[in-house]
Amino acid sequence: MQFIPEKPDKPHVFSGFVMAIADEWFYVTAGHILRAVRAALTSGSTFDIWRLGDQTAARGKFNHTAVPFDFNLENWLVIEDETLGIDYAAVHLGTFYRLQLEAGSVEAFEKDAWSDHVVASDHWALVGIPSESVSYDGKTNIGARFVLAPLIKADAPEQAGKRAENQFYARLAEDYEGVVRDIDGMSGGPVVNLKYGDEAGWRYGLIGVQSAWYPSIRTLAICPFSSFAVALEQAVLPALARSNTAAE
């Protein structure tokens, strides 16, 4: 997602992904990002342009133009506790946004792609947009590089403390500098596992939401996806049932 201050020096970009629950789409990112946005607004900052930057999927259909987004903090579900390492946020994408994203070839993570970090796999990878790659023409055009960074499973850092109860950890692969130097901006991006099967070929699963970064040891803190997805589904399904009943 991209947002531009009213009098910008540069744009701000944060990573996220789209997931589907009962054929409804939700944009998911890290909760601490929404906390930072709220703090900026409370302190007097103003952001007048918000966009869903789906250019990596659009394949040139819309000349790499992002989808304008009506951002409202009150519409977001935020589950975040920095001391406990819980770090999730999600917002419902109504039909208006879904149709635009689908027209640009965006695909949501469906339930059959929900997975867990304890599942056996061949590789892990973090997907997102690093801040170091973002460029801006000072008017409306924002450029950025989409990155898939290979990861290696890691133990919890000593300084993680109680957060280790709600997170798992990974290091950037040894050749990470050829992919990304600094993962700032990739918070909220999906962490996926990859498994190769002789008949099915490569399959992927969504296992986590990128949360924090220990730069001195090049280690990422990742919040498990499956627990959040189940909790969100349990909240959404009854709401959808009530809405469908009221519409009958």
Side-chain angles (χ1 to χ4, degrees):
M1 185 174 289
Q2 309 163 349
F3 55 105
I4 303 176
E6 187 175 17
K7 296 180 180 179
D9 292 321
K10 66 176 184 177
H12 301 275
V13 174
F14 61 85
S15 300
F17 56 92
V18 179
M19 64 176 288
I21 297 177
D23 206 35
E24 294 291 326
W25 281 21
F26 296 82
Y27 182 85
V28 178
T29 188
H32 73 264
I33 294 172
L34 276 296
R35 172 164 48 88
V37 171
R38 184 181 295 276
L41 292 172
T42 301
S43 67
S45 296
T46 301
F47 307 104
D48 64 342
I49 300 174
W50 292 82
R51 299 169 176 166
L52 293 170
D54 64 335
Q55 296 95 319
T56 54
R59 302 172 191 150
K61 282 187 177 181
F62 304 127
N63 195 29
H64 303 292
T65 300
V67 174
F69 184 68
D70 182 16
F71 182 90
N72 184 339
L73 267 174
E74 304 311 312
N75 293 337
W76 287 78
L77 168 67
V78 180
I79 305 175
E80 193 245 351
D81 188 321
E82 187 176 13
T83 61
L84 296 178
I86 299 171
D87 196 12
Y88 306 97
V91 66
H92 180 238
L93 297 176
T95 303
F96 176 74
Y97 296 116
R98 175 173 178 167
L99 290 176
Q100 292 183 78
L101 293 171
E102 285 184 318
S105 302
V106 170
E107 296 182 14
F109 283 103
E110 299 286 349
K111 191 170 183 177
D112 60 1
W114 300 2
S115 189
D116 195 278
H117 65 285
V118 300
V119 173
S121 61
D122 297 316
H123 304 283
W124 285 359
L126 168 64
V127 183
I129 302 291
S131 297
E132 67 184 23
S133 72
V134 177
S135 62
Y136 180 49
D137 68 356
K139 297 178 181 178
T140 59
N141 293 327
I142 300 173
R145 178 164 51 87
F146 179 77
V147 168
L148 190 150
L151 304 177
I152 299 172
K153 299 177 184 180
D155 295 329
E158 292 184 6
Q159 57 267 51
K162 291 177 66 71
R163 293 187 292 273
E165 299 175 8
N166 297 301
Q167 297 175 338
F168 64 99
Y169 302 88
R171 291 183 290 106
L172 290 173
E174 294 302 323
D175 60 348
Y176 66 86
E177 289 187 351
V179 179
V180 58
R181 293 188 301 273
D182 187 338
I183 68 164
D184 177 72
M186 298 185 76
S187 287
V191 176
V192 298
N193 63 18
L194 300 167
K195 179 72 174 177
Y196 186 79
D198 291 338
E199 295 182 2
W202 286 102
R203 297 184 62 85
Y204 67 87
L206 177 54
I207 64 172
V209 180
Q210 166 57 21
S211 174
W213 169 238
Y214 296 88
S216 63
I217 54 176
R218 314 299 292 177
T219 297
L220 295 75
I222 307 160
C223 292
F225 174 73
S226 57
S227 55
F228 174 71
V230 170
L232 184 59
E233 183 181 50
Q234 290 174 346
V236 167
L237 292 180
L240 290 175
R242 290 193 296 270
S243 176
N244 292 334
T245 299
E248 291 177 355

